[in-house]
Structure formats: C-alpha cells, structure tokens
Amino acid sequence: VREYALDRDCTTLSRHVLQQLQSFSPDAQDLSALLTRIALAGKLIARHLSRAGLMEGVLGFTGTENVQGEAVKKMDVYANEVFISVFKQSGLVCRLASEEMEKPYYIPENCPIGRYTLLYDPIDGSSNVDININVGSIFAIRQQEGIDADGSGSDLLQDGHQQLAAGYILYGPSTMLVYSIGKGVHAFTLDPSLGEFILSNENITVPDHGAIYSVNEGNFWQWEESYRDYIRYVHRHEGYTARYGGAMVGDFHRILFQGGVFLYPGTLKKPEGKLRLLYESAPMAFLIEQAGGRASTGTQEILEVIPDHLHARSPLIIGSREDVALVESFIQERAREL
Ligand code: P6P
C-alpha cells in the first residue's frame, strides 16, 4: 500500500502527459510543459479565488464590457492576465485567444511558427465568484498554423477535430484539472501541501445514461417547442433529477462522472444559444467524446461545426450518448412536422 501511495503522489501532470505520449521527443516535452503551465495558471487563479472575500479588487465588476457586450468581472480580467503572463517567455505558445479578448494576443517574442495556439475561457461562470460557488477555466490547444497576418485569428475558424488537447480547471471544494490529449480523459487534484496536481482519476468514462438533466429552465419560454417537449418528458417520467449550477464547468464535471445531459439550447431570439464554440463547446465536446459520450448542436456534432467568427456561439447538448440522443429525438420529431 505504501508503494502505491508514493507512486500515486508522483504521478504529476507533466509525467502523465509524457506517459500518454510514450515519447520524450521535443514536441512531447513541449506539450507536457504547456499543460504544466496551464496548471500553474490554475494554481494562481485558485489562490486568488480562495482569498476573494478578503482582498480588494477580486469581487465585483470592472464597469467595462467585453467583446460580447457582457459586464466584465474583476476576476475575468485577473484570470485572463494570469494566462497571458504564465505563457510569456515560455517559448511554448505563439498566440493566446481568449473569450475575453476581441483579438488574439501574440506572445511578443520570435516564437517559431509551428508552436501552439492556446484558446481559453479564463473564468467560466464568473457570476458565481461573488457568491463563492464553483467556477472554472476552460482551455483548448491547437497547432499554430501559418502567419495570422492581420492578427484576426481567422485561421482558427476550423472544426473541433483540429484541437490537439482540451481540458478545464474546476475551482471547487478542491481544485481539479481535467484534460485529454486524445488518449482518454484524466483528472488531477491539486494537493495544496505539495503545490502539485496529482493524478486522481485515469481514463474517465461517462455512463451511457444518467438521471441528471442540467439546463436553465428559466429560459423555457424562449425555447423552440422541441426542447419544451424534452423537458415535459423528463418532468413526467420517473428517474430524472435536475442539477444546474450556473457555471458550465461544474455542471459538465457532474455529467462526466455521473452521466446525464447538460444543455444550453438556442432560443427563438438567439438560435445560436449563449455558449461560445471555440472557448466552451468545442473543448468540452473533445473531452466528452474521449470519455465515450457525445456533444451536439441538436442537428450536428459539435466537433464538426466550423465557426464563422472567433466568438461564434452554438447550441449545446452534451453528455451521455443515450441522453443526448433522447434530446435530439424530440428535435427530429418536430422537424418532421415542419
Ligand atoms: P445562464 C456562464 O456565464 C456561462 O457561460 C456558462 O458557464 C453557464 O453554463 C451559462 O453561461 C449560464 O448561463 O443563462 O443559465 O445564466
């Protein structure tokens, strides 16, 4: 038992990535170092969150709006700057594209082309920060291809299969980092006494079905009839339970471990829904498929969707394959009537 415990304590993120890649090539080392840098960003953000109520400048709004026209929280700004600062002088990433920035940020050094682009949502669910409920950071890594001459990031408008890796950090009772580089989904828990993320769950698979449906039913009146059909179905049938935390990372994490479905439908006013494809839906779709689940817009696999602009949104149905299919069946049924 002692050997096992010691060995487990030594399975850090960097070691695990190299094990996954079964290689110590420079590229493998770079990817391992890149994910370790993301873990550093997670530690810095977790530390800031843990003292939010005790420090000035953490809670509340900045008074400005982001590119989406949404009020910016102080924590959004801090977390965005953490990601930028941990990748400067890293030589690992050429470009950072964040949900919080209109245009991508170029790491100001002669970064050789062929390195990576990091796409991230620095704090997802920031409305939870002020009430001490879990929030998360979401990330995806894509190959830096060619020169983005006008800095618009238009070369990033590609489908989700171009993601080399994806994951999130969940700032909850414990801080967890969940990632995949296309070889299964693995979770690490931050051990504050070590200051290290230690492997806690390997090769996570989502159950084919789960009791949980996770959706903001306050939007019921805005949905297309097919989504209302689905909600009426789960209201009438035994064996379903509703869970919704208002921050996607926590709601997704519950589905990943316990099964069920998370959905953020489009509405009649905004058929494309609220969640951003490149920064939220595509990374989570990468993970759920690696865990044996599915992610759909209702009519198309999320990983097939090609965004028409950097901050494109998409409807999202994600989780256990049987539960995603059930939601889609109501959409298909209504489509047949049209
Ligand atoms: P609503 C947070 O703002 C977020 O982007 C996701 O993390 C979350 O799932 C969703 O929006 C919550 O949106 O409309 O239910 O408050």
Side-chain angles (χ1 to χ4, degrees), residues 232-244:
R232 282 186 280 263
Y233 176 90
V234 295
H235 283 176
R236 288 192 190 118
H237 288 74
E238 193 181 349
Y240 288 95
T241 189
R243 290 286 185 276
Y244 193 73

Side-chain angles (χ1 to χ4, degrees), residues 293-310:
R294 281 194 56 217
S296 158
T297 64
T299 55
Q300 188 181 10
E301 298 303 308
I302 288 285
L303 290 182
E304 301 293 334
V305 178
I306 298 176
D308 54 11
H309 64 283
L310 214 47

Side-chain angles (χ1 to χ4, degrees), residues 119-133:
L119 297 98
Y120 62 103
D121 178 0
I123 286 286
D124 182 71
S126 55
S127 55
N128 279 357
V129 170
D130 294 3
I131 51 167
N132 194 30
I133 304 288

Side-chain angles (χ1 to χ4, degrees), residues 99 121 124-127 216 219 244 246-249 251 262 264 274-276 280:
E99 180 186 291
D121 178 0
D124 182 71
S126 55
S127 55
N216 182 346
N219 295 331
Y244 193 73
M248 180 185 171
V249 172
D251 288 328
F262 171 91
Y264 204 101
K274 173 181 182 182
L275 301 179
R276 286 78 169 185
E280 293 168 301

